[in-house]
Amino acid sequence: MTNQLLNITEEASTVMIEDAINAFPNECCGFFYGTESEEERIVTIARPVLNSKEGDQRRRFEISPFDYMKAEQFALQNDLLLLGVYHSHPNHPSVASIHDLAKAMPYFSYVIISVMEGEFNTIQSWRLREDIREFREEEVCWKLANRSQESEFGGSATSSHSSPHRIHQ
Amino acid sequence: MAKIIIPTPLRKFTGGKSSFESNGTTVQAVVDNLVAENATLGQQILDNSGNIRSFIRVYVGDEDINELEGSETAVNDSSVISIVPAIAGGVN
Ligand SMILES: [Zn+2]
């Protein structure tokens, strides 16, 4: 699949962003599920999981292998695709870090939610380019009941289409 | 034959297939049989010595094989084996 658009329903956006706010000042994490076509990925369900990192959860997250196994089972049982993983960056921008890159798997969309001082800031999504082992930003559409952004790119609520930036190590 | 669930990020090595049935009475034997039919998938889950990679965990049912008998854990026709990649990250 060569699509580069992640289209997140209001229901799933709300789950992810509320999880990020509720977990502050710690990082939250979870999985999301949906469908995929040549044009886009549509995220219909987001499900939080426990941040199982032992240590500073304000700067790190980890998902237990048990929760991962259950996530794959949930996708199979509900005839959905496990499309990716979301987590939050408390008091940091929603740009993927070298730690995110180090553990990145092929295929998954990595959604990152920036929360500044407890307030939702920005949301961006990243996908691993395996050939050069770098992240490429993908376009995200998301909605909240009281706030929506039809075409967010670059994480800014005011810019529409900016060229994707990449993470270099 | 035991059933093996392939994690989504590795399904491009299986032509999109989410699970396989494979022969063997231990986890290692089942994985070896799977890998014998699919070398590119094997490179993802086994190291050069043929051992399961350190960032990959294997479950039989709801149990981590590290809590059982490792790759020698016994399996049967009703066993479901899950291959699980590590998921982690954080901020710079
Ligand atoms: Zn991160």
Side-chain angles (χ1 to χ4, degrees):
Chain A
M1 293 287 175
T2 52
N3 60 55
Q4 285 177 61
L5 169 63
L6 192 71
N7 202 339
I8 312 176
T9 61
E10 180 176 323
E11 197 181 344
S13 305
T14 303
V15 168
M16 291 187 213
I17 292 168
E18 284 187 351
D19 191 24
I21 292 168
N22 292 337
F24 186 89
N26 289 340
E27 293 197 9
C28 72
C29 50
F31 293 101
F32 51 86
Y33 309 82
T35 58
E36 179 171 55
S37 69
E38 285 296 334
E39 291 78 37
E40 61 180 351
R41 291 177 165 180
I42 300 176
V43 177
T44 52
I45 296 179
R47 300 178 94 207
V49 296
L50 191 73
N51 179 351
S52 68
K53 177 69 186 176
E54 290 180 11
D56 192 355
Q57 295 194 351
R58 292 172 302 177
R59 305 183 62 84
R60 293 289 180 274
F61 82 97
E62 196 173 302
I63 293 179
S64 78
F66 184 84
D67 283 339
Y68 184 92
M69 178 196 69
K70 290 292 175 191
E72 290 281 6
Q73 284 180 3
F74 179 86
L76 288 173
Q77 284 157 5
N78 291 279
D79 204 17
L80 293 168
L81 291 169
L82 179 57
L83 292 172
V85 174
Y86 73 87
H87 72 284
S88 62
H89 280 182
N91 291 338
H92 282 78
S94 48
V95 176
S97 74
I98 53 168
H99 306 285
D100 297 328
L101 183 61
K103 290 286 171 71
M105 297 293 294
Y107 178 83
F108 277 162
S109 291
Y110 285 90
V111 166
I112 302 179
I113 299 149
S114 166
V115 178
M116 303 300 274
E117 303 303 341
E119 301 267 339
F120 168 57
N121 180 32
T122 52
I123 184 166
Q124 283 171 271
S125 185
W126 309 85
R127 230 187 279 186
L128 182 66
R129 273 193 61 182
E130 289 163 86
D131 51 347
I132 49 174
R133 217 169 154 90
E134 281 181 9
F135 272 122
R136 183 173 57 194
E137 187 176 4
E138 61 184 346
E139 194 175 356
V140 186
C141 291
W142 57 275
K143 276 198 193 101
L144 277 185
N146 55 353
R147 183 176 169 180
S148 79
Q149 190 65 44
E150 286 200 346
S151 183
E152 174 144 334
F153 211 11
S156 159
T158 50
S159 73
S160 50
H161 286 256
S162 58
S163 44
H165 21 264
R166 287 174 185 167
I167 301 299
H168 297 272
Q169 265 189 311
Chain B
M1 292 203 285
K3 183 179 184 182
I4 305 191
I5 297 178
I6 308 296
T8 307
L10 299 186
R11 284 180 200 161
K12 62 178 199 166
F13 303 107
T14 65
K17 232 177 131 182
S18 59
S19 67
F20 287 86
E21 305 269 322
S22 193
N23 278 312
T25 55
T26 63
V27 168
Q28 188 72 54
V30 170
V31 169
D32 286 348
N33 281 330
L34 173 69
V35 163
E37 312 235 318
N38 192 328
T40 49
L41 178 66
Q43 286 166 6
Q44 301 295 315
I45 53 182
L46 301 180
D47 64 21
N48 291 336
S49 317
N51 298 313
I52 292 161
R53 289 185 185 277
S54 56
F55 61 88
I56 299 270
R57 300 283 269 276
V58 179
Y59 274 66
V60 174
D62 281 353
E63 302 275 353
D64 187 333
I65 62 166
N66 291 333
E67 309 291 324
L68 301 169
E69 281 151 68
S71 58
E72 291 308 309
T73 299
V75 294
N76 58 41
D77 282 1
S78 61
S79 299
V80 177
I81 301 171
S82 298
I83 294 171
V84 178
I87 303 288
V91 296
N92 278 333

